[in-house]
Structures are given as structure tokens and as C-alpha cells.
Amino acid sequence: YFPDQAPRDMSPSDAGGPLRPVHLPAEKSVMLPLNLADGDFAVFLAQGVALRAPKTVLPILARAADMALENIGLYKKSITDSLTGLFSRDHLLACLQDEIGGIRRCIGSGAVPGAETDCESQWRASAGVVLIAFDGLRDQAGEVGFEECDAYLRDAATLIRNCIPEQALAARWQEHSLAVLFPGATRSACREQAGRIGRELSGLGRMLEHRGRRLHVRASLSLATFPQS
């Protein structure tokens, strides 16, 4: 959880020092400090814990928690595009491959007793991808500057991330294009989502200006579904 201030038992003995892990034997729980980016912190509360040697084990648990948090951060960084904050192309392709594999198993499992129920609980027999290409952005970068074009792409990425369903996955596809994976989407549902993205982008309202001209960036959308396409 994310307290406004550190619990009293976790306060450092020295001012400005790191928070201390705490063992609460009466409650059979352990509180471990999690040091987040930008100086923020959280507390990991483990319940049902009985420690025989808390003075020895607590520092080890605290370090293990820090290492786990670092690993999560490194993994997230490895699958995230640094400019847009969306997922990377490789991560989207890996997720798409998983979806296709699940769909194939789902379609081919009808003769296996009980497989249909298991399949329906995890997979739908379709998935869709919408590709959004920003026409002319590459050419305009040479005129208005890469910073302006990068800012436009970031704005577009934020808009798309905010308008798609929670289970969808948005990624940077190429330098000037984005893509969205819609697990379980039929072709008609995918087309509906593509239309919504197009409408949102048309209202983005960000114009590139250069030498007194106003240059509008047009987005071209295309879609594909599996196994229909």
C-alpha cells in the first residue's frame, strides 16, 4: 500500500536514513519498505509470517524486496518504448503470438472432453490488430524538427492509450506508426475500435507549424483479424 507518510515503526533511527523493515509477531506480519522512483515509497505487508530470527532475516527480506522491485522495473523498461510510453513492437508481437496460439488450441480442441469449457474461460476464437500510420510525419520532421514530431507522436500515443479498452495493448510499431492489439475482438468489433481511434485522433488538434504554414498530420488506419484475415 502507499501511505502518506512512513509508519512510525518503520521510521529510520537516523534522520534521512532508509526506512526499516518491521516484524509484528503478535499480528504474524512483516512490513517491508519499497523504495520507488522519484523518492516515493510503498509498504509491502506480508501476513501469516512467523520469523524465528527476525534480526537476521528482516534485512535479507528487505533486500530481496528491493531486488524484486528492481527486476520488475528492468522488465518493464525492456518492453516499453521510451518515447511514447507504450509497449514495444517486440512485446506486442510476443503477445500476438500467444493470442494466435491460444486461438488455434481453442479451435482445435472441440473433440477433447472439457477442453471447450477451459478454452472459453481464457480465449475467444479471434483477435485483431489496428495499425495507425502517421502519413507525412517523416517528411515533415526534416522541416519542423524532430522534437515537434516526437511531441505529436507522444500526444497521439497518450490519446490512444486512454481511449482503448483496458484489455487492449498499444505499442509503438515503427518510427512513425503505432499499433493496438485487441484480444478476443471480432472483425466488426475491431473495425468499431479503429473508427473510435480515428475519431479521437481527428480531434487531437495539434498542428505542426513551420515558416508560417500550418501542417496537419493525417493518420491512416488499417486492421487485420485472426483467423478471419
Side-chain angles (χ1 to χ4, degrees):
Y1 65 99
F2 301 88
D4 294 331
Q5 56 184 7
R8 181 178 303 176
D9 293 339
M10 301 183 71
S11 299
S13 54
D14 298 329
L19 298 179
R20 299 181 300 173
V22 175
H23 177 221
L24 303 174
E27 302 175 13
K28 293 185 177 180
S29 63
V30 169
M31 294 193 300
L32 301 176
L34 300 176
N35 299 308
L36 308 177
D38 301 326
D40 294 332
F41 70 93
V43 176
F44 176 76
L45 177 63
Q47 297 180 322
V49 179
L51 300 181
R52 294 184 178 180
K55 291 185 178 180
T56 301
V57 176
L58 274 179
I60 298 175
L61 291 178
R63 179 54 186 154
D66 284 339
M67 292 177 64
L69 199 63
E70 290 172 5
N71 288 337
I72 292 172
L74 289 173
Y75 171 71
K76 184 176 180 181
K77 186 176 181 179
S78 72
I79 63 173
T80 302
D81 174 64
S82 59
L83 175 65
T84 63
L86 302 181
F87 287 109
S88 66
R89 174 189 173 116
D90 288 345
H91 183 65
L92 184 142
L93 288 174
C95 292
L96 177 59
Q97 193 171 34
D98 288 344
E99 285 294 321
I100 291 175
I103 291 168
R104 284 174 171 165
R105 290 192 298 272
C106 189
I107 293 174
S109 63
V112 180
E116 183 176 355
T117 301
D118 294 340
C119 168
E120 288 178 351
S121 66
Q122 300 180 38
W123 306 98
R124 296 181 183 178
S126 62
V129 174
V130 173
L131 179 65
I132 307 103
F134 297 96
D135 300 333
L137 195 59
R138 180 190 302 274
D139 297 334
Q140 294 175 13
E143 298 182 14
V144 301
F146 290 99
E147 290 185 0
E148 279 295 323
C149 292
D150 287 349
Y152 180 90
L153 200 60
R154 280 194 298 268
D155 288 349
T158 300
L159 186 149
I160 291 172
R161 183 171 52 238
N162 291 338
C163 78
I164 60 177
E166 184 178 355
Q167 67 271 23
L169 187 153
R172 188 178 185 185
W173 186 249
Q174 289 181 330
E175 185 177 5
H176 298 118
S177 61
L178 308 175
V180 183
L181 168 63
F182 294 97
T186 62
R187 189 166 185 82
S188 60
C190 199
R191 188 180 296 112
E192 180 181 345
Q193 290 294 333
R196 181 182 180 186
I197 292 173
R199 290 190 297 272
E200 292 290 335
L201 287 173
S202 66
L204 184 58
R206 185 177 181 91
M207 309 293 290
L208 300 179
E209 297 187 17
H210 178 64
R211 297 177 184 174
R213 293 188 299 144
R214 296 177 67 84
L215 306 177
H216 183 67
V217 179
R218 185 183 66 178
S220 297
L221 285 78
S222 56
L223 64 90
T225 55
F226 182 85
Q228 294 87 354
S229 295

